[in-house]
Amino acid sequence: MTQQADNITMSEGGLYSLATIGAKDVIDIAADRVLQAVHSLKCDASTTQFTMADMGCADGGTSLSMIERVLQAVHKD
């Protein structure tokens, strides 16, 4: 049985993320490709700026783990 989310809003913390858990699944599956792209940038100790965009992050619940992994990768390289 498929559940339907009605009235998806950002009115309560985490509600939007729970209603869009499929987006997190896609982001998690794409993690290795995203991190490969980050490593291909060849950031090093002389890199002083890094820009990243999260389009449509809402309350962040679907993508915060990806953001954390990307930032760790940038700081490590």
Side-chain angles (χ1 to χ4, degrees):
M1 181 175 149
T2 304
Q3 294 181 352
Q4 181 177 352
D6 293 326
N7 300 319
I8 299 173
T9 66
M10 293 190 314
S11 60
E12 295 180 34
L15 182 62
Y16 186 87
S17 291
L18 288 174
T20 58
I21 195 67
K24 178 160 179 30
D25 293 339
V26 171
I27 291 168
D28 289 346
I29 289 168
D32 288 339
R33 288 186 178 193
V34 172
L35 293 172
Q36 286 174 357
V38 169
H39 291 301
S40 74
L41 297 174
K42 307 252 187 261
C43 296
D44 61 22
S46 67
T47 303
T48 60
Q49 294 183 353
F50 176 80
T51 302
M52 173 177 48
D54 183 354
M55 306 301 183
C57 63
D59 62 9
T62 57
S63 59
L64 278 178
S65 61
M66 172 62 73
I67 301 266
E68 181 179 17
R69 290 179 71 187
V70 167
L71 292 176
Q72 287 174 349
V74 169
H75 288 297
K76 181 180 175 185
D77 286 350

